[in-house]
Amino acid sequence: MTATARPLLLNDFDAAASRKRCMGFRRRILDVSQTVTALHIAPAFSCMEIADTVYNGLMRRKDDGSSDDVFLMSKGHGCMAQYAILEYLGVLANGELDRYCTAHGELGAHPDYGVPGIEASTGSLGHGLAMAVGMAIAERNKSPARPSMRSCPTVRFRKGRPGKRS
């Protein structure tokens, strides 16, 4: 199973199909909201088109729906959008969304690392950006074409406590 490369220009992205998918995802979230009180509906609804475009337009997918590309939901309150899309793609088991925020489910009110398709635990607005940048730098530094970190210049600090001249 190899990922099929897609151009980042979204030339083959069907906006009409995306609108239909997003309406279906919103219906699914509303269905789940009838049984769970800890659901953040507005954040999930507000980022639905963005998440759908990333997952169904930009990310390269394998036959099983998984991807080597990474998506971080920095706005952890909107993770229900991500969960709905992951269920649609078959990354999450059917019915897992119905166990959202229950003792028998693995999906929490914020994305938790370890859940299939979730690359990092997020929640505080904005901290996902720093995490994504760090992950990208780490991935770049793992590349065999990159020089080892030992060849990078070292930062030297003054002796003593910060703010105090030594």
Side-chain angles (χ1 to χ4, degrees):
M1 291 184 286
T2 60
T4 305
R6 290 189 189 179
L8 294 179
L9 299 175
L10 297 173
N11 291 334
D12 61 340
F13 186 72
D14 185 350
S18 175
R19 280 192 292 281
K20 283 184 179 181
R21 278 192 307 270
C22 290
M23 289 301 283
F25 298 148
R26 287 186 174 102
R27 280 190 209 99
R28 182 73 173 108
I29 291 169
L30 286 174
D31 288 344
V32 172
S33 75
Q34 301 305 304
T35 59
V36 177
T37 58
L39 185 68
H40 300 290
I41 295 174
F45 277 25
S46 70
C47 66
M48 189 62 71
E49 282 77 13
I50 296 168
D52 180 70
T53 301
V54 170
Y55 273 102
N56 292 299
L58 294 174
M59 293 178 78
R60 295 166 298 228
R61 305 235 141 263
K62 296 178 184 173
D63 295 335
D64 65 356
S66 66
S67 175
D68 291 330
D69 292 340
V70 175
F71 175 77
L72 262 75
M73 175 68 77
S74 183
K75 180 170 80 168
H77 290 83
C79 68
M80 197 58 171
Q82 188 175 14
Y83 293 156
I85 292 171
L86 290 173
E87 182 184 59
Y88 167 80
L89 293 172
V91 176
L92 290 177
N94 281 340
E96 187 60 40
L97 218 49
D98 295 321
R99 294 186 291 278
Y100 172 80
C101 282
T102 66
H104 302 293
E106 62 177 325
L107 304 178
H110 292 267
D112 293 319
Y113 178 72
V115 172
I118 304 298
E119 300 295 331
S121 300
T122 61
S124 298
L125 296 177
H127 91 272
L129 176 62
M131 293 171 67
V133 169
M135 291 169 77
I137 291 170
E139 191 64 30
R140 182 188 67 185
N141 288 339
K142 287 189 331 188
S143 169
R146 297 268 311 156
S148 73
M149 291 304 288
R150 285 178 282 197
S151 67
C152 293
T154 306
V155 177
R156 301 202 187 275
F157 295 97
R158 285 184 282 143
K159 292 182 179 178
R161 294 187 310 211
K164 183 177 180 180
R165 296 187 187 254
S166 37

